[in-house]
Amino acid sequence: MNPDFPANAAPIKFYRHPLSGHCHRVEMMLSILDLPYELIEVDLLKGAHKAPEFLELNLFGQVPVIDDNGTLIADSNAILVYLVQSYGADTDWLPTTPKDAAEVQRWLSLTVSHVATGPSRARWRTLIGAGDTPETEAAREVSHDFLSQMEGLIAGRDYLVGDRPTIADVASYAYIAHAPEGGVSLDCYPLVRAWIERVAALPRFVPMVASPVPEPA
């Protein structure tokens, strides 16, 4: 177990939904840092995230949320920062040099912009059976535009920020790796596929639950 975690502390409570890529990035960071945690499933389809008791944890009614012995943190990227600064300060997961710190922040911003409106949205609309609507097709188009740009951004790199993994890789992985579940093929993006394989090979990596890949139109 992580030596920075107090021996007499309770496991971190981790509120999540198994199909959420936002939740997956938190679970992967908890595992990578070798932190004890208790999974608490939140049934989004039944509206459990809008129940009064959950809104006491996060007024926005969103997963993930962690409760670290009384310290409540919501928002997946914020949780990654909290976990690394609390229990991985001597690691490279959150660089402090100006250039690398800026690059990490850039990728975190991309996860809530291009990734969220592209691979994440296409996957979610496919999972809920929305079909090949204009909205779904638009998300797939955003996905391919982003993935094409990502190929150039990571050329010559093993990870998103240089030659070492950071929280940028953890935050970006799930929705990009699972993009085919939204009808977004990765066949044309060899550098992205190689990056996905490197992240999946990290020590203590935790996979996300896979969903069916739709048949090509």
Side-chain angles (χ1 to χ4, degrees), residues 94-181:
L94 188 58
T96 57
T97 60
K99 181 177 182 300
D100 288 349
E103 286 202 45
V104 167
Q105 184 57 58
R106 182 190 188 193
W107 281 102
L108 295 183
S109 296
L110 287 171
T111 66
V112 297
S113 56
H114 295 65
V115 175
T117 58
S120 174
R121 182 173 296 172
R123 175 178 174 269
W124 179 246
R125 293 188 60 80
T126 303
L127 291 183
I128 64 173
D132 295 330
T133 63
E135 292 82 2
T136 304
E137 290 303 321
R140 290 170 179 166
E141 183 176 345
V142 170
S143 300
H144 285 295
D145 287 344
F146 168 74
L147 290 167
S148 297
Q149 294 165 349
M150 185 175 175
E151 281 281 295
L153 289 172
I154 64 175
R157 299 182 173 198
D158 288 336
Y159 298 98
L160 299 185
V161 182
D163 59 357
R164 293 177 179 273
T166 67
I167 63 170
D169 300 280
V170 176
S172 304
Y173 172 83
Y175 288 125
I176 295 173
H178 289 254
E181 296 171 9

Side-chain angles (χ1 to χ4, degrees), residues 193-204:
R193 296 199 311 273
W195 167 78
I196 289 170
E197 292 178 0
R198 281 191 287 272
V199 175
L202 292 172
R204 303 187 66 84

